[in-house]
Amino acid sequence: MNMPIETSAVNPFPRAAKSTKVKRKTYVYLFLSWLFLIAIGVTAAKLYTDHLRAAIANDIAQQTQQQLKAVQDDYQKQVGQLKDSVNADISDMQKKVDSLNELLAFTKDSANSKTDNSNQLYTQLADVKAKLEELQKNLDVLK
């Protein structure tokens, strides 16, 4: 019983060749799935950070707007108070200027050489008194 061993070009381990092809395909699919999951994760992280950035920008804009409104209201209040203060100071100053003008007019009248009692007002009062006496005499004559 001697049988000759035949050698053929056929792979003596047909399952081994088939399993390496399957293993390679499995590894390629796993690698592609892994890359796909990483891409999804990176995309989701990018979208989330963009969303957070927009939300933070909106919050900062609202806070800035509120602070600017508060500063503007305070500024308007201070300007109003300053206006009132300046108007009060101007009216006080106007009163002082009027008093000074009256004093200067009195001094000018006092320095005038035409006044008989060093005051034009006193002279005018004397003229009015003289006219009143004249009218009184005319009234007495008519009675």
Side-chain angles (χ1 to χ4, degrees):
M1 291 210 83
N2 269 346
M3 282 188 93
I5 300 178
E6 292 180 26
T7 58
S8 67
V10 179
N11 192 357
F13 304 107
R15 280 177 88 67
K18 193 175 185 182
S19 70
T20 57
K21 285 183 182 179
V22 171
K23 282 184 181 180
R24 283 186 186 167
K25 274 188 176 180
T26 304
Y27 288 133
V28 168
Y29 287 136
L30 286 174
F31 182 73
L32 289 177
S33 299
W34 183 72
L35 285 178
F36 181 70
L37 288 174
I38 289 174
I40 287 175
V42 168
T43 304
K46 173 75 170 121
L47 291 174
Y48 184 67
T49 55
D50 289 344
H51 170 72
L52 285 179
R53 185 175 292 138
I56 290 171
N58 286 338
D59 288 344
I60 289 173
Q62 286 177 346
Q63 289 174 359
T64 303
Q65 198 71 342
Q66 289 172 350
Q67 289 174 350
L68 284 175
K69 183 164 175 36
V71 167
Q72 185 179 15
D73 291 344
D74 186 43
Y75 176 75
Q76 292 295 335
K77 181 181 174 185
Q78 288 178 356
V79 166
Q81 290 173 348
L82 184 62
K83 264 186 179 179
D84 294 342
S85 173
V86 167
N87 285 339
D89 289 345
I90 286 175
S91 65
D92 289 344
M93 187 64 71
Q94 186 63 40
K95 288 176 186 176
K96 289 179 182 179
V97 167
D98 290 341
S99 297
L100 183 61
N101 281 340
E102 289 175 8
L103 183 61
L104 287 173
F106 178 77
T107 305
K108 182 181 174 186
D109 290 344
S110 297
N112 195 351
S113 62
K114 294 182 180 179
T115 58
D116 56 349
N117 286 332
S118 75
N119 187 351
Q120 190 177 12
L121 183 60
Y122 183 76
T123 305
Q124 290 173 353
L125 282 173
D127 289 343
V128 168
K129 187 175 179 185
K131 286 183 182 182
L132 274 173
E133 288 175 358
E134 184 181 324
L135 284 173
Q136 185 69 30
K137 287 180 186 177
N138 287 340
L139 241 155
D140 288 341
V141 169
L142 287 174
K143 285 184 182 185

